[in-house]
Amino acid sequence: MNIVHVKTVASLDKCIENISKYSSIGLDLEFDKNLHRHGFNICLIQIQAGDQSYLIDPLSKEMDYKLIFSILENPEIEKIVFAFGEDLRLLNSLSCYPKNIYDLNNATKILNYEPGSLGKYLLDVLGVEVGKSAQLSNWFTRPLKEEQARYAAEDVIYLLELKTALEKELEEKGISEWVRQENEQFDNIRYEIDYDNVYLKSKD
């Protein structure tokens, strides 16, 4: 597992340059919603590009993490995600409107898989078991703990492989177009900004 922590201007520039070379990337967010602090707060952006797992730190004061939004909004780069509704709502509140999203959850629904988590599908489809011990941890913690970094990376590292496996099933059943139509809807979604999140402050 090749994890790259991105928290400086130089590392973000290099990250964006590398990710821009790929036509398809894995994407996920770690956020806190009224758990450790008030409001809906972004804590980490994970991107899988090739064999690199980038953990982009929105809490770093050494860079403007929003520069990565140009990648997320680039329609030429496919973003493979899983159950991205809340993530998209958060990004919209930050004035980021991702394009070309492929939500694997739409594929599992159309294939009539039983409802489940990403971890369940990774195990059932790919035979890969991932840990969940850091799922409800405090994502405001810095530096990130080793188990947090591994958990965050595992949320994106297998997305492209899972898509390939699900697409094979979809093609065999002749229903790939159904998933494409479902995922196209993301391009037109615009969530309203959660203004409560603007004035509520940290109670640390």
Side-chain angles (χ1 to χ4, degrees):
M1 185 178 294
N2 191 3
I3 298 176
V4 180
H5 293 267
V6 180
K7 50 189 176 182
T8 66
V9 172
S11 60
L12 181 60
D13 287 345
K14 187 173 182 180
C15 166
I16 292 173
E17 180 183 3
N18 187 49
I19 293 172
S20 299
K21 300 174 184 177
Y22 292 87
S23 60
S24 187
I25 60 175
L27 171 65
D28 188 45
L29 306 181
E30 298 301 335
F31 52 78
D32 184 279
K33 195 171 186 180
N34 296 315
L35 183 60
H36 296 283
R37 299 188 187 184
H38 279 308
F40 196 4
N41 300 285
I42 189 168
C43 298
L44 199 66
I45 302 171
Q46 305 103 276
I47 294 180
Q48 184 71 28
D51 62 353
Q52 304 262 39
S53 300
Y54 293 98
L55 305 186
I56 301 165
D57 189 358
L59 305 183
S60 173
K61 296 181 179 180
E62 299 180 42
M63 66 178 190
D64 180 5
Y65 76 92
K66 290 186 178 181
L67 292 175
I68 198 66
F69 289 176
S70 62
I71 294 290
L72 307 189
E73 294 177 336
N74 185 345
E76 300 302 316
I77 301 176
E78 178 186 55
K79 273 67 70 172
I80 303 174
V81 301
F82 179 81
F84 204 62
E86 283 290 88
D87 306 69
L88 188 60
R89 188 183 298 276
L90 177 54
L91 288 171
N92 280 189
S93 76
L94 297 169
S95 299
C96 176
Y97 304 97
K99 296 289 186 181
N100 196 359
I101 293 174
Y102 188 106
D103 195 328
L104 296 170
N105 201 35
N106 285 332
T108 60
K109 288 178 179 178
I110 288 175
L111 286 167
N112 291 319
Y113 278 79
E114 290 185 7
S117 65
L118 175 61
K120 179 182 185 303
Y121 297 128
L122 290 177
L123 183 60
D124 291 349
V125 179
L126 301 181
V128 173
E129 186 171 5
V130 295
K132 289 295 178 184
S133 60
Q135 187 172 17
L136 296 178
S137 64
N138 185 353
W139 289 100
F140 286 105
T141 300
R142 293 296 183 274
L144 290 174
K145 298 177 181 177
E146 183 178 348
E147 60 265 30
Q148 287 180 304
R150 175 171 291 276
Y151 169 86
E154 286 179 342
D155 269 354
V156 291
I157 194 171
Y158 301 110
L159 292 177
L160 279 73
E161 187 178 352
L162 181 57
K163 183 201 171 190
T164 298
L166 293 176
E167 275 287 304
K168 182 178 180 181
E169 290 187 52
L170 291 165
E171 290 171 7
E172 289 173 350
K173 295 182 178 182
I175 54 176
S176 296
E177 178 65 14
W178 298 1
V179 177
R180 186 190 65 79
Q181 291 176 5
E182 287 293 321
N183 285 324
E184 276 185 349
Q185 302 305 311
F186 284 111
D187 283 356
N188 302 315
I189 292 176
R190 291 291 184 275
Y191 289 110
E192 294 296 326
I193 294 176
D194 179 3
Y195 287 101
D196 286 345
N197 195 37
V198 175
Y199 68 80
L200 291 174
K201 305 300 182 182
S202 165
K203 291 185 67 178
D204 280 3

